[in-house]
């Protein structure tokens, strides 16, 4: 009798803790090439509705301008910065031809599959290369990662989506992708999904700042509204928790609104809309980067990568507690001058330095702990006279998060 009671108690506790640990599902959407001023000007009721649950912020792409992490404001480059949480100096995608991505910097999908293999992943995309080249679906270099639900490649289906000069077929593919995403969310509720929509960028390139471009943004808003409806269906019917991040991969040039790729303010200035509840002070008071979305999603999905991987990520989480952001470092003679933005002033920051970058080629770097500083100071000076090098990789490890920066001496 006692045994039986203990058994029941164990079952009860197991059920209880299972119910407590309800996972949140994550969806991120990239709508291509919409500058912040345009998303703020055009009527987007669905984005507004989502932002009311969480928030809206201006954001940036392009890495640090004129510094080692400067990154072209080009589409595939931006997508990969989102996917890997790193800038192009690490992920090595510099253009839309995606010549040689450095798969040592794992995408959010690979992180999910490696550390939470039970999570189901999905992609709904108007561009096939997002899966086959950036995520590297099925490639040996990515450990043969396989996404669970795949809806893409329609741009190569010229029977159902015949190509036309006005790019209406891209609009039709976006519509199709959104329909597939809505159905799949309603039916299968993948844990981690990516929706990519292209039509806005096509209209931007063709017409620049124009009614046509703005109409494309309104269409994208409606499409996101459909997806949001599917999410709300899951929330109501299945009592699930969902987090959505919507962003863009670059702005557009100031003069015409047609081009992008450079480092002008309008090309770098983007935005993020999310329904995430516990947005932190960094999201609310700073201007986040596209690289911040990936570590945010890892936090939500309870993905805890190896320390070496975490130390490479250039972004910081937008939700939950963080200690610091925006590490910068310069050198003069044999000293490193390091600064950071203080988000939570409590505690110390450990400053680690490596003069190698073996991670970049699949190896491990030897870091030395060179200083413990008060976070609240926002700066530290380190004597590296005994560590002469033309290259320093600096990691700031704090209570709630870790950030990194490089010094490259030419
Ligand atoms: Zn783009």
């Amino acid at each position: 009798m006692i045994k039986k009671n203990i058994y029941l108690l164990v079952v009860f506790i197991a059920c209880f803790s299972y119910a407590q640990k309800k996972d949140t599902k994550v969806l991120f959407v990239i709508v291509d090439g919409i500058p912040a001023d345009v998303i703020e000007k055009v009527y987007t009721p669905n984005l507004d509705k989502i932002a009311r649950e969480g928030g809206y912020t201006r954001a940036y792409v392009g890495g640090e301008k004129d510094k080692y992490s400067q990154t072209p404001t080009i589409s595939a480059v931006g997508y990969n910065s989102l996917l890997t949480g790193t800038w192009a100096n690490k992920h090595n995608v510099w253009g839309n031809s995606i010549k040689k991505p450095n798969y040592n910097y794992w995408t959010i999908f690979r992180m999910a599959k490696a550390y939470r293999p039970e999570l189901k992943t999905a992609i709904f995309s108007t561009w096939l290369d997002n899966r086959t080249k950036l995520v590297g679906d099925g490639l040996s270099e990515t450990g043969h990662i396989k996404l669970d639900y795949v809806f893409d490649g329609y741009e190569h289906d010229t029977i159902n989506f015949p190509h036309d000069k006005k790019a209406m077929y891209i609009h039709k593919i976006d519509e199709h992708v959104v329909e597939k995403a809505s159905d799949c969310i309603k039916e299968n509720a993948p844990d981690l999904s990516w929706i990519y929509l292209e039509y806005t960028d096509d209209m931007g390139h063709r017409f620049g700042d124009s009614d046509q471009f703005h109409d494309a943004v309104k269409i994208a808003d409606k499409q996101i509204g459909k997806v949001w409806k599917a999410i709300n269906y899951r929330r109501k019917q299945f009592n699930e928790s969902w987090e959505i991040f919507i962003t863009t991969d670059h702005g557009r040039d100031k003069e015409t609104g047609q081009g992008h790729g450079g480092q002008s303010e309008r090309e770098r200035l983007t935005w993020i809309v999310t329904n995430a509840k516990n947005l932190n002070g960094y999201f609310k008071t700073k201007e986040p980067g596209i690289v911040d979305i990936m570590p945010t999603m890892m936090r939500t999905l309870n993905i805890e990568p190896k320390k070496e991987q975490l130390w490479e990520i250039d972004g910081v989480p937008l939700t939950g507690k963080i200690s610091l952001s925006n590490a910068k470092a310069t050198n003069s003679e044999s000293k490193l001058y390091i600064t950071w933005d203080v988000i939570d002033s409590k505690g110390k920051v450990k400053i680690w330095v490596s003069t190698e970058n073996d991670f970049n080629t699949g190896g491990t770097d030897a870091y030395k702990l060179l200083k413990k500083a008060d976070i609240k100071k926002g700066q530290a000076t380190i004597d590296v006279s005994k560590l002469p090098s033309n290259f320093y990789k600096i990691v700031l490890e704090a209570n709630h998060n870790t950030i990194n920066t490089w010094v490259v001496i030419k």
Side-chain angles (χ1 to χ4, degrees):
M1 191 62 193
I2 288 169
K3 259 188 188 163
K4 199 179 171 190
N5 280 342
I6 287 171
Y7 171 75
L8 283 174
L9 186 69
V10 168
V11 168
F12 174 75
I13 290 169
C15 290
F16 184 72
S17 52
Y18 179 75
Q20 288 280 297
K21 244 185 76 184
K22 207 182 74 171
D23 281 344
T24 297
K25 294 169 187 287
V26 177
L27 164 70
F28 63 102
V29 183
I30 298 177
V31 270
D32 204 308
I34 306 171
D37 62 279
V38 173
I39 209 75
E40 287 164 9
K41 185 166 56 191
V42 173
Y43 181 58
T44 52
N46 292 293
L47 288 180
D48 297 350
K49 210 185 298 170
I50 295 166
R52 274 199 294 277
E53 276 192 25
Y56 168 87
T57 181
R58 287 188 164 200
Y60 76 99
V61 295
E64 194 182 344
K65 198 177 167 186
D66 299 325
K67 294 285 162 54
Y68 73 92
S69 64
Q70 180 169 298
T71 295
T73 58
I74 294 173
S75 302
V77 184
Y79 317 155
N80 216 38
S81 291
L82 194 164
L83 290 173
T84 62
T86 69
W87 300 113
N89 60 301
K90 292 180 183 173
H91 67 60
N92 205 40
V93 171
W94 296 94
N96 289 334
S97 52
I98 315 176
K99 285 186 189 128
K100 211 176 177 345
N102 189 336
Y103 294 115
N104 292 314
Y105 301 92
W106 289 12
T107 64
I108 183 68
F109 289 106
R110 194 164 172 200
M111 289 287 188
K113 283 293 173 194
Y115 294 105
R116 299 274 327 266
E118 73 280 14
L119 296 183
K120 296 286 182 225
T121 55
I123 186 167
F124 314 94
S125 171
T126 300
W127 201 41
L128 178 65
D129 291 1
N130 284 339
R131 175 172 58 88
T132 54
K133 293 186 180 174
L134 295 182
V135 175
D137 193 63
L139 300 181
S140 60
E141 298 97 307
T142 63
H144 303 280
I145 185 179
K146 272 281 161 202
L147 302 191
D148 297 291
Y149 304 103
V150 170
F151 298 91
D152 62 10
Y154 308 112
E155 72 272 29
H156 300 291
D157 174 2
T158 50
I159 306 289
N160 288 305
F161 301 98
H163 293 196
D164 62 312
K165 286 197 179 124
K166 288 183 173 171
M168 275 310 285
Y169 77 103
I170 292 293
H171 164 64
K172 282 180 188 145
I173 293 173
D174 279 356
E175 286 281 312
H176 187 66
V177 160
V178 163
E179 197 182 307
K180 291 293 179 193
S182 302
D183 290 349
C184 183
I185 287 167
K186 273 189 196 162
E187 208 168 301
N188 305 305
D191 301 289
L192 171 64
S193 309
W194 176 14
I195 297 177
Y196 166 70
L197 304 174
E198 184 185 312
Y199 185 63
T200 42
D201 191 55
D202 287 359
M203 293 301 102
H205 279 295
R206 194 170 298 250
F207 299 106
D209 294 304
S210 60
D211 288 344
Q212 289 94 329
F213 180 43
H214 295 170
D215 287 345
V217 174
K218 287 178 195 161
I219 290 171
D221 179 74
K222 268 194 196 131
Q223 289 164 337
I224 290 162
K226 272 181 206 161
V227 174
W228 185 236
K229 220 171 144 187
I231 286 176
N232 281 327
Y233 169 80
R234 292 298 308 191
R235 297 206 293 191
K236 281 200 197 90
Q237 299 297 317
F238 297 88
N239 195 28
E240 286 169 355
S241 164
W242 283 75
E243 214 165 82
I244 183 170
F245 296 91
I246 306 147
T247 193
T248 192
D249 52 336
H250 51 77
R252 316 197 76 82
D253 76 88
K254 192 177 152 204
E255 292 70 28
T256 65
Q258 285 183 304
H260 58 85
Q263 292 293 323
S264 72
E265 200 187 327
R266 195 178 184 223
E267 285 166 291
R268 291 174 55 88
L269 189 60
T270 60
W271 49 272
I272 300 170
V273 166
T274 178
N275 74 324
K277 284 278 185 291
N278 53 338
L279 293 164
N280 56 31
Y282 173 71
F283 179 93
K284 287 174 184 163
T285 63
K286 309 278 179 189
E287 192 175 273
I290 195 168
V291 293
D292 296 326
I293 296 172
M294 184 263 200
T296 310
M297 295 192 290
M298 285 214 294
R299 199 170 247 193
T300 304
L301 294 170
N302 298 308
I303 295 168
E304 291 173 10
K306 279 194 298 190
K307 185 186 82 180
E308 290 78 9
Q309 293 177 306
L310 204 59
W311 283 16
E312 292 291 338
I313 291 169
D314 293 324
V316 303
L318 302 169
T319 53
K321 285 186 178 175
I322 67 166
S323 303
L324 35 69
S325 67
N326 192 30
K328 285 193 172 131
T330 54
N331 78 296
S332 169
E333 291 171 358
S334 53
K335 289 201 174 76
L336 296 178
Y337 298 95
I338 304 164
T339 61
W340 58 87
D341 291 348
V342 180
I343 307 292
D344 180 346
S345 61
K346 283 192 283 295
K348 297 266 184 190
V349 52
K350 288 182 193 167
I351 304 178
W352 300 83
V353 176
S354 167
T355 55
E356 300 155 355
N357 191 18
D358 290 344
F359 186 94
N360 190 255
T361 49
T364 311
D365 297 310
Y367 281 95
K368 288 191 174 72
L369 177 59
L370 293 190
K371 192 156 198 158
K372 282 186 194 171
D374 291 329
I375 289 180
K376 63 173 181 275
K377 286 198 173 136
Q379 58 168 357
T381 304
I382 292 182
D383 183 348
V384 283
S385 53
K386 288 180 182 139
L387 204 63
S389 175
N390 290 324
F391 173 75
Y392 296 97
K393 202 151 91 170
I394 301 153
V395 170
L396 308 184
E397 186 186 19
N399 287 341
H400 303 304
N401 71 301
T402 297
I403 54 176
N404 74 88
T405 187
W406 290 2
V407 168
V408 184
I409 301 162
K410 281 175 190 149

